[in-house]
Protein backbone atom coordinates (compact mmCIF):
# COMPACT_ATOMS: atom_id res chain seq x y z
CA UNK A 1 0.00 0.00 0.00
CA UNK A 2 2.80 2.43 0.96
CA UNK A 3 4.81 1.56 -2.15
CA UNK A 4 1.75 2.15 -4.33
CA UNK A 5 1.22 5.57 -2.72
CA UNK A 6 4.83 6.56 -3.25
CA UNK A 7 4.76 5.75 -6.99
CA UNK A 8 1.36 7.38 -7.52
CA UNK A 9 2.00 10.03 -10.22
CA UNK A 10 -0.40 12.36 -8.42
CA UNK A 11 1.32 12.08 -5.02
CA UNK A 12 3.39 15.28 -5.27
CA UNK A 13 0.44 17.19 -6.67
CA UNK A 14 -1.52 16.27 -3.55
CA UNK A 15 1.44 17.32 -1.39
CA UNK A 16 1.67 20.61 -3.26
CA UNK A 17 -2.00 21.42 -2.71
CA UNK A 18 -2.03 20.37 0.95
CA UNK A 19 1.21 22.16 1.88
CA UNK A 20 0.00 25.35 0.20
CA UNK A 21 -3.25 25.45 2.17
CA UNK A 22 -1.48 24.60 5.44
CA UNK A 23 1.19 27.26 4.84
CA UNK A 24 -1.47 29.88 4.14
CA UNK A 25 -3.33 28.95 7.31
CA UNK A 26 -0.14 29.02 9.41
CA UNK A 27 0.88 32.42 8.02
CA UNK A 28 -2.54 33.81 8.84
CA UNK A 29 -2.40 32.30 12.33
CA UNK A 30 1.08 33.76 12.91
CA UNK A 31 -0.02 37.24 11.84
CA UNK A 32 -3.20 36.96 13.90
CA UNK A 33 -1.26 35.81 16.98
CA UNK A 34 1.30 38.57 16.55
CA UNK A 35 -1.46 41.17 16.47
CA UNK A 36 -3.06 39.73 19.59
CA UNK A 37 0.33 39.84 21.32
CA UNK A 38 1.08 43.42 20.31
CA UNK A 39 -2.33 44.62 21.47
CA UNK A 40 -1.99 42.57 24.70
CA UNK A 41 -5.48 41.14 24.22
CA UNK A 42 -4.21 37.77 25.50
CA UNK A 43 -2.22 39.04 28.46
CA UNK A 44 -4.56 37.44 31.00
CA UNK A 45 -4.67 34.03 29.33
CA UNK A 46 -1.19 32.70 29.93
CA UNK A 47 2.45 33.50 30.55
CA UNK A 48 4.01 35.92 28.04
CA UNK A 49 6.94 33.66 27.15
CA UNK A 50 4.59 30.90 26.06
CA UNK A 51 2.68 33.29 23.82
CA UNK A 52 5.87 34.57 22.21
CA UNK A 53 7.12 31.04 21.60
CA UNK A 54 3.87 30.06 19.88
CA UNK A 55 4.06 33.12 17.62
CA UNK A 56 7.59 32.17 16.52
CA UNK A 57 6.58 28.52 16.11
CA UNK A 58 3.69 29.38 13.80
CA UNK A 59 5.91 31.52 11.60
CA UNK A 60 8.60 28.85 11.46
CA UNK A 61 6.10 26.12 10.67
CA UNK A 62 4.66 28.27 7.86
CA UNK A 63 8.13 28.63 6.35
CA UNK A 64 8.64 24.85 6.50
CA UNK A 65 5.33 24.27 4.71
CA UNK A 66 6.24 26.81 2.03
CA UNK A 67 9.53 24.98 1.52
CA UNK A 68 7.68 21.68 1.16
CA UNK A 69 5.30 23.34 -1.30
CA UNK A 70 8.20 24.52 -3.46
CA UNK A 71 10.03 21.18 -3.37
CA UNK A 72 6.88 19.24 -4.26
CA UNK A 73 6.33 21.53 -7.27
CA UNK A 74 9.74 20.47 -8.58
CA UNK A 75 8.99 16.78 -7.95
CA UNK A 76 5.53 16.86 -9.50
CA UNK A 77 5.52 15.27 -12.95
CA UNK A 78 2.73 17.41 -14.38
CA UNK A 79 3.99 20.98 -13.98
CA UNK A 80 7.69 20.04 -13.74
CA UNK A 81 8.90 23.30 -12.20
CA UNK A 82 12.65 23.78 -12.21
CA UNK A 83 14.58 25.29 -9.29
CA UNK A 84 14.95 28.53 -11.24
CA UNK A 85 11.21 28.72 -11.91
CA UNK A 86 10.49 28.13 -8.22
CA UNK A 87 12.95 30.75 -6.96
CA UNK A 88 13.02 33.47 -9.66
CA UNK A 89 9.94 35.63 -10.38
CA UNK A 90 8.61 35.50 -13.95
CA UNK A 91 10.92 32.61 -14.90
CA UNK A 92 7.95 30.33 -15.70
CA UNK A 93 5.33 30.52 -18.41
CA UNK A 94 2.71 29.03 -16.07
CA UNK A 95 0.66 31.96 -14.74
CA UNK A 96 3.79 34.12 -14.35
CA UNK A 97 2.30 37.00 -12.32
CA UNK A 98 0.51 34.94 -9.62
CA UNK A 99 3.55 32.65 -9.32
CA UNK A 100 5.83 35.70 -9.01
CA UNK A 101 3.64 37.01 -6.19
CA UNK A 102 4.06 33.68 -4.39
CA UNK A 103 7.84 33.79 -4.81
CA UNK A 104 7.98 37.35 -3.49
CA UNK A 105 5.85 36.28 -0.50
CA UNK A 106 8.35 33.49 0.18
CA UNK A 107 11.29 35.91 0.31
CA UNK A 108 9.36 38.28 2.56
CA UNK A 109 8.53 35.39 4.89
CA UNK A 110 12.22 34.43 5.05
CA UNK A 111 13.13 38.04 5.87
CA UNK A 112 10.50 38.29 8.60
CA UNK A 113 11.53 35.00 10.20
CA UNK A 114 15.20 35.87 9.94
CA UNK A 115 14.61 39.24 11.57
CA UNK A 116 12.83 37.50 14.44
CA UNK A 117 15.91 35.38 15.11
CA UNK A 118 18.12 38.48 14.99
CA UNK A 119 15.70 40.75 16.81
CA UNK A 120 18.10 41.62 19.65
CA UNK A 121 20.87 42.56 17.20
CA UNK A 122 18.93 44.66 14.70
CA UNK A 123 17.99 48.33 15.01
CA UNK A 124 14.54 48.39 16.56
CA UNK A 125 13.05 50.66 13.90
CA UNK A 126 14.42 48.49 11.07
CA UNK A 127 13.13 45.30 12.72
CA UNK A 128 9.71 46.84 13.23
CA UNK A 129 9.36 48.00 9.62
CA UNK A 130 10.55 44.63 8.32
CA UNK A 131 8.17 42.78 10.62
CA UNK A 132 5.25 44.71 9.15
CA UNK A 133 6.05 42.90 5.88
CA UNK A 134 4.20 39.91 7.36
CA UNK A 135 0.92 41.67 6.51
CA UNK A 136 2.06 42.09 2.91
CA UNK A 137 3.15 38.45 2.85
CA UNK A 138 -0.33 37.20 3.73
CA UNK A 139 -1.86 39.56 1.14
CA UNK A 140 0.47 38.31 -1.61
CA UNK A 141 -0.20 34.69 -0.66
CA UNK A 142 -3.94 35.34 -0.88
CA UNK A 143 -3.59 36.63 -4.44
CA UNK A 144 -1.17 33.84 -5.32
CA UNK A 145 -3.56 31.18 -4.04
CA UNK A 146 -6.59 32.79 -5.67
CA UNK A 147 -5.08 32.88 -9.16
CA UNK A 148 -3.00 29.67 -9.23
CA UNK A 149 -4.93 27.20 -7.07
CA UNK A 150 -6.72 24.44 -8.98
CA UNK A 151 -9.32 24.11 -6.21
CA UNK A 152 -10.49 27.71 -6.40
CA UNK A 153 -13.91 26.77 -7.71
CA UNK A 154 -14.71 24.25 -4.97
CA UNK A 155 -16.95 25.16 -2.03
CA UNK A 156 -14.47 24.06 0.61
CA UNK A 157 -11.67 26.15 -0.88
CA UNK A 158 -13.90 29.20 -0.96
CA UNK A 159 -14.85 28.61 2.66
CA UNK A 160 -11.19 28.31 3.70
CA UNK A 161 -10.22 31.41 1.70
CA UNK A 162 -13.05 33.53 3.07
CA UNK A 163 -12.21 32.41 6.63
CA UNK A 164 -8.48 33.15 6.35
CA UNK A 165 -8.92 36.49 4.60
CA UNK A 166 -11.69 37.47 6.99
CA UNK A 167 -9.61 36.66 10.06
CA UNK A 168 -6.68 38.66 8.72
CA UNK A 169 -8.88 41.64 7.93
CA UNK A 170 -10.53 41.66 11.36
CA UNK A 171 -7.18 41.28 13.13
CA UNK A 172 -5.62 44.18 11.21
CA UNK A 173 -8.62 46.38 12.02
CA UNK A 174 -8.30 45.47 15.72
CA UNK A 175 -4.57 46.25 15.55
CA UNK A 176 -5.22 49.66 14.01
CA UNK A 177 -7.97 50.58 16.48
CA UNK A 178 -6.19 49.41 19.64
CA UNK A 179 -2.84 50.73 18.45
CA UNK A 180 -4.24 54.20 17.93
CA UNK A 181 -6.08 54.15 21.22
CA UNK A 182 -3.17 52.91 23.32
CA UNK A 183 -0.71 55.22 21.63
CA UNK A 184 -2.30 58.34 23.12
CA UNK A 185 -1.09 59.44 26.54
CA UNK A 186 -3.72 59.24 29.25
CA UNK A 187 -2.43 62.30 31.05
CA UNK A 188 -0.87 65.46 29.68
CA UNK A 189 2.91 65.38 29.58
CA UNK A 190 4.49 68.27 31.46
CA UNK A 191 7.32 69.91 29.54
CA UNK A 192 9.76 72.25 31.21
CA UNK A 193 12.09 73.40 28.51
CA UNK A 194 13.14 69.85 27.71
CA UNK A 195 14.53 68.99 24.31
CA UNK A 196 12.36 66.89 22.05
CA UNK A 197 12.73 63.16 22.44
CA UNK A 198 13.50 61.04 19.41
CA UNK A 199 10.45 59.76 17.58
CA UNK A 200 9.80 56.03 17.51
CA UNK A 201 11.43 53.15 19.30
CA UNK A 202 15.16 52.97 20.02
CA UNK A 203 17.58 51.33 17.64
CA UNK A 204 18.95 49.21 20.47
CA UNK A 205 17.85 48.44 24.00
CA UNK A 206 20.82 50.43 25.32
CA UNK A 207 20.30 53.59 23.25
CA UNK A 208 19.47 56.49 25.51
CA UNK A 209 16.27 58.47 25.06
CA UNK A 210 14.79 61.39 26.93
CA UNK A 211 11.73 60.72 29.06
CA UNK A 212 9.58 63.10 31.07
CA UNK A 213 8.87 62.51 34.76
CA UNK A 214 5.07 62.48 34.71
CA UNK A 215 4.55 61.88 38.43
CA UNK A 216 6.43 61.22 41.66
CA UNK A 217 4.44 59.67 44.51
CA UNK A 218 5.24 58.11 47.87
CA UNK A 219 4.30 54.42 47.79
CA UNK A 220 5.89 53.56 51.17
CA UNK A 221 8.20 55.10 53.73
CA UNK A 222 11.40 55.86 51.87
CA UNK A 223 10.06 54.59 48.52
CA UNK A 224 9.05 56.79 45.59
CA UNK A 225 6.86 55.59 42.73
CA UNK A 226 7.99 57.27 39.50
CA UNK A 227 6.17 57.33 36.17
CA UNK A 228 8.18 58.13 33.05
CA UNK A 229 6.49 59.05 29.78
CA UNK A 230 7.29 59.91 26.20
CA UNK A 231 5.55 62.65 24.27
CA UNK A 232 1.99 62.14 23.09
CA UNK A 233 1.39 59.50 20.41
CA UNK A 234 4.76 57.92 21.05
CA UNK A 235 4.91 54.28 22.07
CA UNK A 236 7.59 52.63 24.14
CA UNK A 237 9.33 49.31 23.42
CA UNK A 238 7.58 46.17 24.61
CA UNK A 239 8.85 44.65 27.84
CA UNK A 240 8.14 41.55 29.88
CA UNK A 241 7.98 41.16 33.68
CA UNK A 242 11.42 41.08 35.28
CA UNK A 243 12.82 43.78 32.99
CA UNK A 244 14.67 46.83 34.27
CA UNK A 245 15.56 50.32 33.06
CA UNK A 246 18.83 52.19 33.41
CA UNK A 247 18.49 55.81 34.53
CA UNK A 248 21.36 58.07 33.47
CA UNK A 249 21.25 60.71 36.19
CA UNK A 250 22.45 64.32 35.80
CA UNK A 251 25.13 63.71 38.46
CA UNK A 252 26.82 61.22 36.14
CA UNK A 253 25.61 58.04 37.87
CA UNK A 254 23.74 55.20 36.21
CA UNK A 255 21.27 53.14 38.21
CA UNK A 256 19.03 50.19 37.33
CA UNK A 257 15.41 49.96 38.50
CA UNK A 258 12.92 47.16 37.84
CA UNK A 259 9.74 47.97 35.95
CA UNK A 260 6.71 47.42 38.16
CA UNK A 261 3.82 48.56 35.97
CA UNK A 262 1.67 46.83 33.38
CA UNK A 263 3.50 45.75 30.18
CA UNK A 264 0.26 46.39 28.29
CA UNK A 265 0.67 50.13 28.86
CA UNK A 266 2.93 51.28 26.03
CA UNK A 267 2.96 55.00 26.80
CA UNK A 268 4.77 55.01 30.15
CA UNK A 269 7.16 53.13 32.42
CA UNK A 270 6.66 52.75 36.19
CA UNK A 271 9.51 52.21 38.63
CA UNK A 272 9.89 52.41 42.42
CA UNK A 273 13.06 53.76 44.05
CA UNK A 274 14.11 53.03 47.63
CA UNK A 275 16.19 55.65 49.41
CA UNK A 276 18.98 53.37 50.60
CA UNK A 277 20.69 54.18 53.88
CA UNK A 278 24.17 54.18 52.38
CA UNK A 279 23.37 55.62 48.98
CA UNK A 280 26.35 56.26 46.72
CA UNK A 281 24.46 59.13 45.14
CA UNK A 282 21.83 57.41 43.01
CA UNK A 283 18.73 56.97 45.16
CA UNK A 284 19.68 59.97 47.29
CA UNK A 285 19.77 62.23 44.22
CA UNK A 286 16.43 60.90 42.98
CA UNK A 287 14.68 61.39 46.32
CA UNK A 288 16.08 64.89 46.72
CA UNK A 289 15.89 66.27 43.20
CA UNK A 290 13.51 64.39 40.92
CA UNK A 291 10.29 66.32 40.27
CA UNK A 292 7.38 66.06 37.81
CA UNK A 293 8.18 67.78 34.55
CA UNK A 294 11.90 67.02 34.62
CA UNK A 295 13.57 65.16 31.77
CA UNK A 296 15.86 62.19 32.43
CA UNK A 297 17.89 60.00 30.10
CA UNK A 298 16.80 56.37 30.08
CA UNK A 299 18.07 53.22 28.35
CA UNK A 300 16.57 49.75 28.22
CA UNK A 301 14.51 47.86 29.02
CA UNK A 302 16.67 44.79 29.52
CA UNK A 303 15.60 41.51 31.08
CA UNK A 304 17.81 38.96 32.81
CA UNK A 305 15.06 37.85 35.19
CA UNK A 306 12.38 36.75 32.74
CA UNK A 307 9.28 34.87 33.89
CA UNK A 308 9.23 31.40 32.34
CA UNK A 309 6.01 29.43 31.74
CA UNK A 310 5.08 27.11 34.62
CA UNK A 311 1.98 25.65 36.23
CA UNK A 312 2.93 26.83 39.74
CA UNK A 313 4.98 29.72 41.10
CA UNK A 314 6.36 30.70 44.47
CA UNK A 315 7.46 34.32 44.66
CA UNK A 316 9.74 35.53 47.46
CA UNK A 317 10.36 39.27 47.79
CA UNK A 318 12.37 41.24 50.31
CA UNK A 319 11.89 45.00 50.61
CA UNK A 320 12.16 46.82 47.28
CA UNK A 321 12.65 43.41 45.61
CA UNK A 322 8.86 43.40 45.26
CA UNK A 323 9.07 45.58 42.12
CA UNK A 324 9.84 42.89 39.50
CA UNK A 325 7.75 40.34 41.40
CA UNK A 326 4.69 42.63 41.30
CA UNK A 327 4.89 42.86 37.50
CA UNK A 328 5.21 39.07 37.26
CA UNK A 329 2.15 38.45 39.43
CA UNK A 330 0.01 40.90 37.52
CA UNK A 331 0.93 39.29 34.19
CA UNK A 332 -0.34 35.84 35.23
CA UNK A 333 -3.77 34.56 34.22
CA UNK A 334 -6.39 34.20 36.94
CA UNK A 335 -6.23 30.39 36.93
CA UNK A 336 -2.47 30.14 37.48
CA UNK A 337 -1.41 28.73 40.89
CA UNK A 338 0.97 31.00 42.78
CA UNK A 339 1.91 32.27 46.25
CA UNK A 340 3.85 35.33 47.37
CA UNK A 341 5.96 35.69 50.50
CA UNK A 342 6.84 39.33 51.05
CA UNK A 343 9.22 40.24 53.88
CA UNK A 344 10.30 43.63 55.18
CA UNK A 345 11.38 45.57 58.24
CA UNK A 346 7.96 47.10 58.76
CA UNK A 347 4.70 47.21 56.83
CA UNK A 348 5.01 50.96 56.36
CA UNK A 349 8.26 50.49 54.39
CA UNK A 350 6.88 47.69 52.19
CA UNK A 351 5.79 49.14 48.85
CA UNK A 352 2.51 47.80 47.40
CA UNK A 353 1.96 45.45 50.39
CA UNK A 354 -1.60 46.48 51.20
CA UNK A 355 -2.49 46.70 47.51
CA UNK A 356 -1.33 43.13 46.83
CA UNK A 357 -3.10 41.72 49.89
CA UNK A 358 -6.36 43.40 48.87
CA UNK A 359 -6.15 42.28 45.23
CA UNK A 360 -5.06 38.69 45.89
CA UNK A 361 -6.58 37.49 49.18
CA UNK A 362 -5.23 34.15 50.36
CA UNK A 363 -2.24 34.22 48.02
CA UNK A 364 -0.06 36.88 49.64
CA UNK A 365 1.77 36.41 52.95
CA UNK A 366 3.25 39.54 54.50
CA UNK A 367 6.01 39.16 57.07
CA UNK A 368 6.74 42.54 58.65
CA UNK A 369 9.56 42.52 61.19
CA UNK A 370 7.81 44.97 63.52
CA UNK A 371 4.63 42.86 63.60
CA UNK A 372 6.10 39.46 64.39
CA UNK A 373 8.63 38.24 66.94
CA UNK A 374 9.21 34.98 65.05
CA UNK A 375 11.65 34.81 62.16
CA UNK A 376 10.34 34.00 58.70
CA UNK A 377 10.30 30.20 58.31
CA UNK A 378 11.33 29.91 54.68
CA UNK A 379 12.05 26.19 54.96
CA UNK A 380 8.44 25.42 55.89
CA UNK A 381 7.10 27.66 53.14
CA UNK A 382 9.28 26.12 50.43
CA UNK A 383 8.83 22.52 51.58
CA UNK A 384 5.13 22.49 52.36
CA UNK A 385 3.82 25.31 50.19
CA UNK A 386 4.36 24.54 46.51
CA UNK A 387 7.19 21.98 46.41
CA UNK A 388 7.18 21.69 42.59
CA UNK A 389 6.80 25.40 41.90
CA UNK A 390 9.24 27.59 40.02
CA UNK A 391 10.68 29.94 42.65
CA UNK A 392 11.36 33.58 41.79
CA UNK A 393 13.14 35.60 44.46
CA UNK A 394 14.40 39.16 44.61
CA UNK A 395 15.69 41.04 47.64
CA UNK A 396 18.68 41.56 49.92
CA UNK A 397 21.53 39.08 49.80
CA UNK A 398 20.68 37.47 53.15
CA UNK A 399 17.27 36.49 51.80
CA UNK A 400 18.69 35.32 48.45
CA UNK A 401 21.24 33.12 50.21
CA UNK A 402 18.54 31.55 52.37
CA UNK A 403 16.30 30.84 49.37
CA UNK A 404 19.18 29.42 47.32
CA UNK A 405 20.01 26.99 50.14
CA UNK A 406 16.46 25.60 50.15
CA UNK A 407 15.46 25.46 46.48
CA UNK A 408 16.96 23.13 43.85
CA UNK A 409 18.87 25.07 41.19
CA UNK A 410 16.59 23.78 38.41
CA UNK A 411 13.60 25.55 40.01
CA UNK A 412 15.38 28.69 41.23
CA UNK A 413 15.38 32.15 39.64
CA UNK A 414 17.16 34.96 41.51
CA UNK A 415 17.79 38.64 40.98
CA UNK A 416 20.34 40.19 43.29
CA UNK A 417 20.95 43.79 44.37
CA UNK A 418 24.66 43.26 44.98
CA UNK A 419 27.25 41.01 43.39
CA UNK A 420 28.14 37.65 44.86
CA UNK A 421 31.56 37.31 46.42
CA UNK A 422 33.17 34.91 43.96
CA UNK A 423 36.59 33.41 44.53
CA UNK A 424 38.56 33.39 41.30
CA UNK A 425 42.13 32.45 40.33
CA UNK A 426 44.60 35.29 40.01
CA UNK A 427 43.81 37.34 36.93
CA UNK A 428 45.99 36.75 33.88
CA UNK A 429 46.48 38.95 30.82
CA UNK A 430 44.09 38.08 28.00
CA UNK A 431 44.17 38.99 24.32
CA UNK A 432 40.69 40.07 23.24
CA UNK A 433 39.94 40.02 19.52
CA UNK A 434 37.03 42.26 18.53
CA UNK A 435 35.64 40.62 15.39
CA UNK A 436 33.44 43.43 14.06
CA UNK A 437 35.89 46.23 14.86
CA UNK A 438 38.88 44.18 13.65
CA UNK A 439 40.99 45.15 16.63
CA UNK A 440 43.07 43.15 19.08
CA UNK A 441 43.19 44.44 22.65
CA UNK A 442 45.67 43.07 25.17
CA UNK A 443 44.01 43.36 28.58
CA UNK A 444 46.51 43.36 31.46
CA UNK A 445 45.83 41.41 34.64
CA UNK A 446 44.93 44.48 36.67
CA UNK A 447 42.36 45.91 34.25
CA UNK A 448 38.82 44.81 33.38
CA UNK A 449 38.03 43.78 29.83
CA UNK A 450 35.29 46.41 29.70
CA UNK A 451 37.63 49.24 30.68
CA UNK A 452 40.24 48.12 28.16
CA UNK A 453 37.66 48.08 25.36
CA UNK A 454 36.35 51.49 26.39
CA UNK A 455 39.85 52.98 26.33
CA UNK A 456 40.22 51.80 22.74
CA UNK A 457 37.00 53.59 21.82
CA UNK A 458 35.10 50.41 21.01
CA UNK A 459 31.25 50.43 21.05
CA UNK A 460 30.64 48.88 24.48
CA UNK A 461 28.42 49.97 27.35
CA UNK A 462 28.83 49.72 31.10
CA UNK A 463 26.81 50.74 34.10
CA UNK A 464 27.11 49.03 37.51
CA UNK A 465 30.61 47.65 36.82
CA UNK A 466 30.09 45.07 39.55
CA UNK A 467 28.54 42.27 37.48
CA UNK A 468 24.92 42.76 38.52
CA UNK A 469 22.98 44.81 35.96
CA UNK A 470 23.94 43.03 32.73
CA UNK A 471 24.35 46.25 30.72
CA UNK A 472 27.77 45.30 29.35
CA UNK A 473 26.68 41.94 27.88
CA UNK A 474 28.74 40.81 24.88
CA UNK A 475 28.56 37.72 22.68
CA UNK A 476 31.50 35.29 22.78
CA UNK A 477 32.61 33.92 19.40
CA UNK A 478 35.63 31.92 20.56
CA UNK A 479 37.51 31.24 23.75
CA UNK A 480 36.28 30.24 27.21
CA UNK A 481 34.87 32.93 29.52
CA UNK A 482 35.63 32.91 33.22
CA UNK A 483 32.32 34.11 34.66
CA UNK A 484 32.66 36.28 37.76
CA UNK A 485 29.37 38.17 37.54
CA UNK A 486 26.04 37.62 39.30
CA UNK A 487 23.63 38.31 36.42
CA UNK A 488 22.53 34.73 35.76
CA UNK A 489 23.55 31.11 36.13
CA UNK A 490 26.96 30.32 34.63
CA UNK A 491 25.61 27.37 32.66
CA UNK A 492 22.99 29.60 31.07
CA UNK A 493 25.64 32.13 30.08
CA UNK A 494 27.70 29.36 28.49
CA UNK A 495 24.64 28.15 26.60
CA UNK A 496 23.96 31.66 25.31
CA UNK A 497 27.68 32.28 24.67
CA UNK A 498 27.74 35.62 26.48
CA UNK A 499 30.05 37.37 28.90
CA UNK A 500 29.78 40.39 31.22
CA UNK A 501 33.25 41.95 30.80
CA UNK A 502 32.99 44.47 33.63
CA UNK A 503 34.14 41.72 36.03
CA UNK A 504 34.47 38.48 34.07
CA UNK A 505 37.62 37.39 32.30
CA UNK A 506 38.75 34.31 30.33
CA UNK A 507 40.21 30.97 31.29
CA UNK A 508 41.91 30.87 27.89
CA UNK A 509 44.68 33.21 26.78
CA UNK A 510 42.53 34.63 23.99
CA UNK A 511 38.90 35.64 23.71
CA UNK A 512 37.01 36.59 20.56
CA UNK A 513 34.06 38.93 21.09
CA UNK A 514 31.32 40.16 18.78
CA UNK A 515 32.23 43.84 19.07
Amino acid sequence: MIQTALIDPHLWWYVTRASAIIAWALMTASVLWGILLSTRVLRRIDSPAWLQDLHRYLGGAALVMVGLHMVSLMLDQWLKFSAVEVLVPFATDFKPLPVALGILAFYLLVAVQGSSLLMQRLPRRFWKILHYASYLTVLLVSFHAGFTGTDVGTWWYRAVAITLIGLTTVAVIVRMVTGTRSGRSRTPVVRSGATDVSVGEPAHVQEKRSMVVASVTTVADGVLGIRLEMHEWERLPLWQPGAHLTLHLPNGLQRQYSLCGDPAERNHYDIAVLHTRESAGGSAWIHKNLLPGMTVEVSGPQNHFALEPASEYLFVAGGIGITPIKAMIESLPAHRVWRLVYAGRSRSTMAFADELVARYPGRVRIHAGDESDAALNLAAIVTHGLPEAEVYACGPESLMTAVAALVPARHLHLERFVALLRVAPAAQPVLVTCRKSRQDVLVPAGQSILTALEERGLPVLGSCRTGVCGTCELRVLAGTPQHLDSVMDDAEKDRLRIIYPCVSRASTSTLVLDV
Side-chain angles (χ1 to χ4, degrees):
M1 182 69 72
I2 295 176
Q3 271 189 332
T4 303
L6 290 175
I7 62 174
D8 186 339
H10 300 295
L11 170 65
W12 294 112
W13 181 238
Y14 295 140
V15 172
T16 297
R17 295 160 65 194
S19 59
I21 294 293
I22 294 172
W24 188 9
L26 286 171
M27 280 186 234
T28 301
S30 180
V31 169
L32 177 63
W33 204 257
I35 290 172
L36 294 176
L37 278 173
S38 64
T39 56
R40 300 292 293 173
V41 172
L42 299 176
R43 69 182 184 274
R44 303 302 295 177
I45 295 179
D46 216 322
S47 300
W50 182 84
L51 299 178
Q52 295 284 358
D53 288 343
L54 180 58
H55 176 53
R56 287 190 289 266
Y57 171 79
L58 289 171
L63 187 58
V64 171
M65 284 294 107
V66 171
L68 178 59
H69 175 65
M70 298 170 77
V71 170
S72 62
L73 278 173
M74 291 186 286
L75 295 175
D76 178 58
Q77 295 301 307
W78 180 55
L79 286 176
K80 296 182 179 180
F81 271 76
S82 66
V84 173
E85 290 173 321
V86 165
L87 296 173
V88 180
F90 301 106
T92 179
D93 294 329
F94 176 77
K95 300 182 179 181
L97 179 58
V99 171
L101 294 178
I103 295 172
L104 179 57
F106 165 68
Y107 289 127
L108 286 175
L109 182 61
V110 170
V112 171
Q113 287 302 113
S115 70
S116 296
L117 296 176
L118 299 173
M119 179 179 176
Q120 300 300 326
R121 302 190 178 278
L122 291 175
R124 183 73 181 180
R125 181 184 290 275
F126 174 76
W127 172 85
K128 189 176 181 181
I129 293 173
L130 186 58
H131 216 66
Y132 280 144
S134 57
Y135 301 128
L136 179 59
T137 302
V138 175
L139 178 64
L140 293 176
V141 167
S142 300
F143 281 109
H144 169 74
F147 288 103
T148 60
T150 58
D151 299 304
V152 173
T154 62
W155 67 267
W156 64 266
Y157 187 94
R158 291 178 180 175
V160 170
I162 291 172
T163 300
L164 295 178
I165 295 173
L167 285 172
T168 304
T169 303
V170 170
V172 170
I173 292 173
V174 170
R175 177 69 177 89
M176 293 172 61
V177 172
T178 57
T180 301
R181 186 177 301 158
S182 61
R184 189 190 302 268
S185 296
R186 292 185 174 185
T187 57
V189 177
V190 181
R191 297 180 178 85
S192 57
T195 56
D196 289 339
V197 296
S198 57
V199 178
E201 295 182 350
H204 186 270
V205 293
Q206 285 306 313
E207 180 178 324
K208 290 193 292 185
R209 57 192 175 279
S210 298
M211 297 192 72
V212 178
V213 179
S215 64
V216 179
T217 58
T218 300
V219 295
D221 290 349
V223 181
L224 293 180
I226 299 167
R227 174 161 292 185
L228 303 169
E229 291 185 342
M230 299 287 280
H231 289 184
E232 289 189 57
W233 298 97
E234 294 179 14
R235 292 162 65 93
L236 291 164
L238 286 169
W239 61 278
Q240 300 294 351
H244 68 265
L245 295 177
T246 297
L247 267 59
H248 303 260
L249 302 176
N251 62 1
L253 296 178
Q254 299 176 30
R255 292 294 182 265
Q256 290 72 40
Y257 299 103
S258 296
L259 289 162
C260 56
D262 183 355
E265 298 292 341
R266 298 287 303 281
N267 62 314
H268 65 258
Y269 287 143
D270 289 333
I271 60 174
V273 179
L274 170 68
H275 189 174
T276 56
R277 296 177 179 178
E278 299 178 357
S279 173
S283 66
W285 189 95
I286 289 173
H287 276 253
K288 181 179 180 180
N289 300 290
L290 203 67
L291 297 172
M294 294 180 63
T295 298
V296 293
E297 296 295 309
V298 176
S299 59
Q302 277 189 301
N303 198 340
H304 301 288
F305 190 44
L307 182 67
E308 299 296 333
S311 58
E312 296 180 349
Y313 295 96
L314 174 62
F315 299 107
V316 181
I320 200 61
I322 190 61
T323 48
I325 301 297
K326 176 177 179 287
M328 291 179 178
I329 289 172
E330 293 177 345
S331 73
L332 294 175
H335 64 271
R336 186 65 72 245
V337 178
W338 62 269
R339 296 289 184 273
L340 167 64
V341 179
Y342 183 11
R345 296 193 310 274
S346 65
R347 189 178 290 264
S348 64
T349 64
M350 299 170 69
F352 313 115
D354 294 336
E355 174 189 338
L356 291 169
V357 170
R359 289 182 60 182
Y360 307 106
R363 295 189 176 194
V364 179
R365 174 175 176 177
I366 302 295
H367 183 87
D370 62 344
E371 297 177 356
S372 176
D373 294 330
L376 180 65
N377 190 346
L378 274 177
I381 294 170
V382 171
T383 305
H384 303 297
L386 298 171
E388 296 301 318
E390 292 298 303
V391 178
Y392 285 78
C394 183
E397 187 54 36
S398 57
L399 181 63
M400 297 299 94
T401 301
V403 173
L406 294 168
V407 180
R410 66 181 185 277
H411 291 305
L412 183 60
H413 312 265
L414 297 178
E415 183 168 64
R416 288 183 159 89
F417 296 155
V418 296
L420 283 172
L421 181 61
R422 303 187 63 161
V423 179
Q428 299 295 325
V430 57
L431 179 64
V432 177
T433 297
C434 303
R435 178 70 58 82
K436 287 182 180 177
S437 304
R438 298 182 179 180
Q439 292 192 43
D440 291 332
V441 181
L442 181 60
V443 183
Q447 187 179 44
S448 74
I449 295 176
L450 177 63
T451 301
L453 297 181
E454 287 176 329
E455 289 181 353
R456 291 288 290 269
L458 292 166
V460 292
L461 293 165
S463 183
C464 72
R465 300 181 182 272
T466 60
V468 175
C469 73
T471 299
C472 61
E473 179 181 303
L474 294 175
R475 190 159 67 99
V476 178
L477 302 179
T480 304
Q482 183 184 74
H483 300 297
L484 302 174
D485 62 277
S486 305
V487 178
M488 64 176 74
D489 183 72
D490 288 354
E492 182 69 7
K493 285 177 291 210
D494 286 335
R495 186 184 70 80
L496 296 172
R497 297 294 294 165
I498 57 176
I499 186 175
Y500 297 100
C502 63
V503 293
S504 297
R505 297 193 69 81
S507 58
T508 50
S509 60
T510 61
L511 197 64
V512 182
L513 301 179
D514 189 25
V515 182

